[in-house]
């Protein structure tokens, strides 16, 4: 009889926003199923790793980066990460791209767990796929600190950025759209940005580097034949590998 594999407890530091955290848990379970099948294990309840999710009301990351006087997210994130470590998590994924601005500080605060780095995991996965040029859909906070630009450059991947108007559309789609529950507005704004980038750069791959974007853009009829990259799904697969000891 096929024995369940040995696993490690892992964690999810979520709440940024809540819908993205819940979707990440779904992606993680799917990634575990894929890992089990690809390694010849039966897919059953007992084969999935123990995993804990901290769904916390964390201050807005983009606002914090733009205004030092605004509520800052570091303490809340560090508290959640420490709680996950206390529950035995060996590795933790943080399904919020902009929050990785505090990755180094969080890893220093809680060194006993591995805090995965979504932009680096994404860049490594794209390099393995042979991607050489990617357009970046992200928050103003991520653009402000060059979060993905640095990770892509380290892997030799050119990063194409949208113009100021397109960035405004992205922020509207994220905040007034997905975070406010208006998915129609979100799709409209995200599609407009994708169409503008594709008109200028051809069929370029689009990295959906804000966890709200994959909740709306892939479902848009206009985007069905677009090359969409989901860093959230890449992060979920990376956490699954850690959970199974890879």
């Amino acid at each position: 009889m096929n024995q369940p594999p040995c696993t490690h407890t892992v964690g999810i530091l979520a709440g940024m926003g809540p819908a993205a955290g819940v979707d990440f848990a779904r992606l993680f379970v799917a990634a575990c199923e894929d890992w089990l099948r690809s390694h010849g294990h039966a897919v059953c309840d007992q084969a999935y790793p123990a995993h804990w999710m901290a769904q916390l009301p964390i201050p807005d990351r983009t606002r914090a980066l733009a205004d030092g006087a605004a509520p800052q997210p570091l303490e809340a994130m560090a508290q959640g990460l420490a709680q996950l470590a206390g529950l035995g998590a060996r590795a933790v994924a943080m399904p919020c791209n902009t929050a990785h601005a505090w990755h180094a500080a969080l890893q220093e605060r809680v060194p006993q767990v591995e805090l995965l780095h979504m932009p680096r995991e994404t860049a490594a996965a794209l390099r393995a796929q042979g991607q050489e040029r990617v357009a970046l859909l992200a928050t103003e906070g991520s653009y402000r600190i060059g979060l993905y630009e640095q990770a892509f450059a380290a892997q030799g991947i050119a990063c194409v950025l949208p113009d100021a108007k397109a960035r405004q559309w992205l922020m509207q789609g994220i905040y007034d759209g997905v975070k406010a529950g208006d998915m129609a507005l979100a799709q409209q704004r995200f599609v407009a940005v994708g169409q503008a980038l594709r008109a200028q750069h051809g069929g370029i791959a689009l990295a959906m580097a804000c966890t709200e974007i994959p909740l709306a853009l892939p479902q848009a009829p206009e985007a069905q034949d677009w090359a969409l990259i989901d860093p959230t799904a890449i992060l979920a697969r990376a956490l699954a590998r850690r959970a199974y000891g890879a």
Side-chain angles (χ1 to χ4, degrees):
M1 182 178 178
N2 188 297
Q3 293 296 317
C6 295
T7 61
H8 302 292
T9 300
V10 296
I12 303 168
L13 182 57
M16 305 172 276
V22 171
D23 191 59
F24 182 83
R26 176 188 63 82
L27 292 170
F28 173 68
V29 170
C32 289
E33 180 179 337
D34 290 343
W35 190 96
L36 289 167
R37 293 188 189 282
S38 66
H39 288 77
H41 292 285
V43 177
C44 61
D45 293 352
Q46 296 73 31
Y48 289 89
H51 53 283
W52 298 89
M53 182 167 72
Q55 187 83 293
L56 305 173
I58 294 171
D60 187 85
R61 284 67 59 203
T62 292
R63 189 173 300 117
L65 289 171
D67 181 4
Q72 297 294 307
L74 178 58
E75 292 302 324
M77 290 192 294
Q79 181 180 3
L81 187 59
Q83 289 172 336
L84 291 169
L87 290 167
R90 176 169 173 170
V92 171
M94 185 165 57
C96 172
N97 290 271
T98 311
H100 286 72
W102 292 271
H103 179 277
L106 287 167
Q107 190 66 89
E108 183 178 356
R109 291 277 193 98
V110 191
Q112 63 268 38
V113 299
E114 179 191 8
L115 180 61
L116 304 187
H117 194 287
M118 186 168 3
R120 293 174 194 159
E121 293 287 348
T122 300
L126 295 183
R127 185 61 182 174
Q129 296 170 11
Q131 290 280 1
E132 297 181 351
R133 189 176 65 128
V134 175
L136 184 66
L137 311 184
T139 65
E140 282 292 357
S142 291
Y143 292 128
R144 180 183 297 273
I145 61 174
L147 197 59
Y148 270 85
E149 294 93 310
Q150 296 172 27
F152 284 177
Q155 294 290 344
I157 300 170
C159 187
V160 175
L161 303 180
D163 61 23
K165 182 62 176 177
R167 293 187 192 188
Q168 182 181 0
W169 289 342
L170 286 170
M171 292 297 284
Q172 289 175 348
I174 293 166
Y175 283 87
D176 299 332
V178 177
K179 287 183 181 292
D182 189 344
M183 303 305 282
L185 175 63
Q187 282 192 4
Q188 181 187 56
R189 293 294 188 264
F190 298 154
V191 165
V193 174
Q195 289 173 332
L197 286 166
R198 286 168 55 82
Q200 186 175 359
H201 301 284
I204 191 169
L206 305 176
M208 300 179 291
C210 170
T211 48
E212 269 71 36
I213 297 175
L215 299 180
L217 180 55
Q219 292 76 37
E222 300 90 338
Q224 294 309 298
D225 63 345
W226 294 1
L228 299 178
I229 297 161
D230 187 354
T232 313
I234 292 171
L235 182 66
R237 291 193 291 271
L239 187 64
R241 291 195 300 270
R242 303 312 198 275
Y244 289 110

